[in-house]
Every structure is written in structure tokens, then in C-alpha cells.
Amino acid sequence: EVRDGKIAAIGATANAASEVAAAGQGVVPACIDSHVHLGYLPVGRRVLAGGVAAVVDLAAPIEALTRPDTPPELLVWRSGPM
């Protein structure tokens, strides 16, 4: 579901549009950011709000690998500890 130009919900909705008018525009349902450091800058909520659905978290301190403030909606691949 899209509200105010942003993804508001994922899944089946009662009023889902079968077509989106996007002539002359690029449409990307979600992005993957392949180089982030959430262990040093925990901005998972802002990343989601920007349309990123998954990230690759590179080289974080070992205690950052299980950060409780990472939103569960964000798919995070962690490369391992420093």
C-alpha cells in the first residue's frame, strides 16, 4: 500500500491498484544498500523510510551484530565483526 508517495504497508490490501501511472519515470519498489555501517550509525528506521528494504552491514564491532534497535522489517546481511 502506498500513502503520500511512500510505501505504508506490504501485503494484500483491499484497494490495491492494478496499474500505476508512471509514464516517463523510474519505478523501484525497494532498494538494497550494499555498503552500510549500522553498528556505528544505527539509522535503520531512516533507511527503511528512504525506500531501502535490505542492507549489507560491513565490519562492525562484535557487540553490534545483534543490535536490538535494528528494525525487524529491514533485512540485514552482516559481513561479520571487525
Side-chain angles (χ1 to χ4, degrees), residues 23-80:
Q25 298 186 32
V27 178
V28 179
C31 297
I32 298 172
D33 189 334
S34 63
H35 189 141
V36 300
H37 295 279
L38 295 179
Y40 297 105
L41 189 61
V43 293
R45 291 270 172 224
R46 287 196 313 189
V47 168
L48 281 170
V52 174
V55 297
V56 179
D57 194 0
L58 300 171
I62 191 116
E63 62 274 5
L65 296 178
T66 56
R67 289 191 72 109
D69 56 350
T70 301
E73 304 89 354
L74 182 63
L75 178 59
V76 180
W77 288 287
R78 301 193 192 275
S79 67

Side-chain angles (χ1 to χ4, degrees), residues 2-29:
V2 177
R3 275 187 246 137
D4 298 322
K6 295 184 178 180
I7 298 172
I10 297 173
T13 60
N15 59 352
S18 60
E19 192 173 307
V20 175
Q25 298 186 32
V27 178
V28 179

